[in-house]
């Protein structure tokens, strides 16, 4: 028997992740209390109104694009891929943290993830929806969007299965579907909690419908846990494959600066980096608005900052290795492409990227900065600015000057490039705020697993 | 008014695991242990066999992989062989990605829908829902339920048995009619 004064490892860990005197009841009350609240916080309405206005901008801009065509964008010859592709890659990248947190950290038994995984999974879903908008609209002719589906055209010719563009369709579509299934599976027990606590008949019916009649029996948990574990297991290679495939869109071309084998791992590291940045931004806002500082603790933010430090350093390594290989290859075009990134007409884009993605995360070596919430909030936004500029560097700076100086041109976005990008935030935040209002933002069942008393073996031996 | 079974409440996950062991040893078959979260070691305590879900997922994954590879091969080698940049028609290394993605997609469907099948959900009516107190099981309560379909079921004996092993708030499940 352990001395009462000496705390077990599990207890110390639990106290950091769930500080204060918390038990199963208080956890349910605190988390389920948010969607059950009669009164919606005023901040929520303000944010929701703002998100809806952005959504209106989105609808208007996309409508005009479909009416008028891609001529309203700043794309030209040679920069055929402009903001649409940048935004697609950016949003897909953000979507990566969700599955990383829920799947990979689950396999590694990182219990601290239990407070943020629901959050991150939801963010993934809406980020991937925002990303999927761009392949749908980027040719301007929405009525031929079905061309990216694997179905033959009027002459019986199929899409080329050897092309990374169709791989991309399969990868992103699979990723979205699996993320949705994973998210919903995780929600089932919590929907049952909301069903059982519902005060009105309508709420009980709606939550009850989606809870599928869950009754928490171990005969259910047994299959449920296996399904959840397998979903985590198959999502892990999936999440690594998605951005690798996205990077193949670039890497299989012969443009200097794109034709590199470093792209897949470099894209994946960048995706995780930006995804954690977004989870950080959203969780700092949500814990403040809903007073959930005792469930999403500074400890969680600290751990996320550590992952951002790791992935930020990986991205920084990739930037320097690209430069080294460009020089070491002795290929004049390759060398020029990289010198042009850093010193060409778009030098500022490159250095914003370096500052945000390489310099900023270095502060996370110090615990002081990892636990300083305003600092984390600002850096988490800088991270995503930096990652947007990374895609700007890759897409625009590479395309605007390739082999022949006669084919060079400058690229300038138009107001519609900007408005569609800003509009996707409306799409993202409208969805996310509705989630915060109606569903538990932290997994109620999993948050309890952090408490030592949830494990019957606690107190015996660690 | 029909009777469907008996439920008893336990205070902690530890108590529930010990109760499960005793119910198992007493020879009951149609019983379940309800908790707000999965409890480590409960499968052994209840004497449950390993879930067969893994076989379903494996079969689905294999189907997905074969379908993905077959689809691409069929399109480019049989349905409409098309010379694109002089690449071979049967360019199998290029088929790896879609094969993999469809394997994952099918496995995920197998995992989620297989889980629903084994758990018999959606199922919106169940005797345990006749109890009002039982609704706390999704928050902070732990329950053992023994159903009337169990061959050893006898209402009085089951009630006293559950009482003996430490259950509280013992309740017989009855419908309202």
């Amino acid at each position: 028997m352990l001395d009462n004064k000496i705390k077990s490892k599990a207890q110390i860990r639990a106290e950091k992740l769930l500080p204060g005197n918390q038990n199963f009841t208080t956890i349910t009350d605190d988390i389920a209390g948010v969607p059950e609240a009669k009164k919606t916080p005023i901040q929520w309405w303000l944010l929701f109104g703002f998100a809806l206005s952005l959504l209106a901008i989105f609808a208007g801009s996309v409508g005009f694009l479909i009416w008028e065509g891609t001529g309203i964008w700043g794309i030209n010859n040679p920069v055929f891929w402009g903001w649409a592709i940048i935004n697609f890659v950016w949003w897909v990248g953000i979507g990566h943290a969700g599955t990383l947190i829920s799947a990979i950290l689950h396999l590694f038994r990182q219990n601290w993830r239990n407070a943020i995984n629901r959050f991150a999974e939801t963010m993934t879903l809406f980020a991937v929806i925002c990303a999927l908008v761009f392949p749908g609209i980027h040719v301007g002719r929405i009525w031929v969007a079905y061309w990216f589906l694997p179905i033959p055209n009027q002459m019986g010719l199929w899409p080329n299965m050897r092309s990374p563009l169709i791989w991309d369709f399969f990868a992103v579509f699979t990723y979205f579907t699996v993320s949705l299934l994973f998210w919903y599976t995780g929600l089932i027990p919590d929907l049952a909690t909301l069903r059982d606590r519902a005060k009105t008949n309508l709420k009980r019916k709606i939550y009850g419908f989606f809870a599928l009649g869950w009754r928490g029996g171990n005969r259910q948990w047994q299959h449920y846990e296996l399904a959840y574990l397998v979903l985590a297991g198959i999502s892990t290679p999936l999440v690594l494959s998605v951005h690798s495939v996205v990077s193949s869109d670039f890497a299989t071309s012969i443009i200097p600066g794109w034709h590199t084998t470093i792209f897949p791992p470099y894209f994946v590291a960048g995706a995780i980096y930006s995804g954690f940045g977004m989870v950080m931004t959203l969780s700092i806002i949500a814990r403040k608005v809903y007073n959930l500082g005792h469930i999403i603790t500074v400890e969680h933010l600290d751990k996320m900052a550590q992952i951002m430090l790791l992935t930020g350093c990986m991205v920084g390594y990739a930037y320097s290795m690209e430069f080294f290989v460009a020089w070491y290859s002795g290929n004049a075009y390759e060398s020029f492409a990289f010198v042009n990134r850093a010193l060409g007409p778009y030098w500022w884009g490159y250095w914003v990227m370096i500052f945000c993605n390489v310099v900023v995360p270095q502060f996370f070596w110090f615990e002081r900065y990892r636990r300083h919430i305003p600092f984390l909030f600002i850096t988490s936004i800088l991270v995503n600015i930096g990652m947007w500029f990374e895609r700007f560097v890759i897409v625009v700076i590479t395309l605007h000057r390739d082999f022949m100086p006669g084919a060079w041109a400058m690229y300038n976005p138009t107001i519609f490039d900007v408005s569609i990008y800003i509009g996707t935030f409306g799409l993202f935040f409208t969805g996310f705020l509705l989630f915060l209002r109606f569903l538990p933002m932290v997994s109620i069942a999993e948050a309890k697993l952090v408490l030592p008393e949830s494990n019957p073996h606690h107190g015996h031996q660690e | 008014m029909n009777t469907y079974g008996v439920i008893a409440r336990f205070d902690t996950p530890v108590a529930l695991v010990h109760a499960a062991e005793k119910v198992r040893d007493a020879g009951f078959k149609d019983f379940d242990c309800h908790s707000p979260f999965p409890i480590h070691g409960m499968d052994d305590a209840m004497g449950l066999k390993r879930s067969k879900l893994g076989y379903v997922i494996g079969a689905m994954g294999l189907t997905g992989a074969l379908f993905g590879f077959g689809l691409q091969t069929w399109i480019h080698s049989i349905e409409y062989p098309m010379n694109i940049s002089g690449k071979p028609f049967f360019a199998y290394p290029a088929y790896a990605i879609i094969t993999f993605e469809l394997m994952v997609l099918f496995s995920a469907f197998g995992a989620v829908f297989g889980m629903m099948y084994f758990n018999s959900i959606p199922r919106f009516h169940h005797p345990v829902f006749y109890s009002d107190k039982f609704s706390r099981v999704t928050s902070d309560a732990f329950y053992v339920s023994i159903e009337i379909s169990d061959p050893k079921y006898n209402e009085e004996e089951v009630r006293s048995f559950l009482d003996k092993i430490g259950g509280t708030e013992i309740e017989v499940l009855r419908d309202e009619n």
Side-chain angles (χ1 to χ4, degrees), chain A residues 30-48 118-119 122 126 183 187 191 194 203 207 286 289-290 292 428-442:
Chain A
D30 286 350
I31 302 172
V34 174
E36 283 168 352
K38 282 226 169 58
K39 210 168 158 294
T40 312
I42 184 78
Q43 294 101 317
W44 187 90
W45 282 111
L46 291 174
L47 288 170
F48 191 64
R118 170 72 44 72
F119 222 81
T122 316
F126 292 117
W183 177 78
L187 261 177
L191 288 167
L194 290 177
K203 275 191 181 174
Y207 285 127
V289 171
Y290 290 107
L292 286 177
F428 180 79
F429 281 107
T430 305
F432 200 81
L433 286 163
L434 287 173
F435 153 75
L436 286 184
R437 183 65 192 83
F438 294 108
L439 291 170
M441 72 175 97
V442 176

Side-chain angles (χ1 to χ4, degrees), chain A residues 241-252:
Chain A
S241 85
V242 176
H243 232 51
S244 302
V245 171
V246 171
S247 79
S248 316
D249 295 343
F250 299 91
T252 53

Side-chain angles (χ1 to χ4, degrees), chain A residues 25 162 218-219 222-223 448, chain B residues 31 33 49 51 88 139-140:
Chain A
T25 321
R162 293 158 291 196
N218 192 56
R219 288 176 199 271
Q222 188 200 14
H223 302 298
K448 289 171 189 160
Chain B
F31 72 102
C33 297
K49 289 204 192 78
S51 170
S139 171
D140 54 5

Side-chain angles (χ1 to χ4, degrees), chain B residues 151-167:
Chain B
K152 285 191 64 181
Y153 186 86
N154 172 312
E155 194 174 306
E156 276 318 302
E157 280 174 25
V158 168
R159 285 181 71 148
S160 60
F161 171 72
L162 286 173
D163 184 53
K164 200 179 75 192
I165 63 173

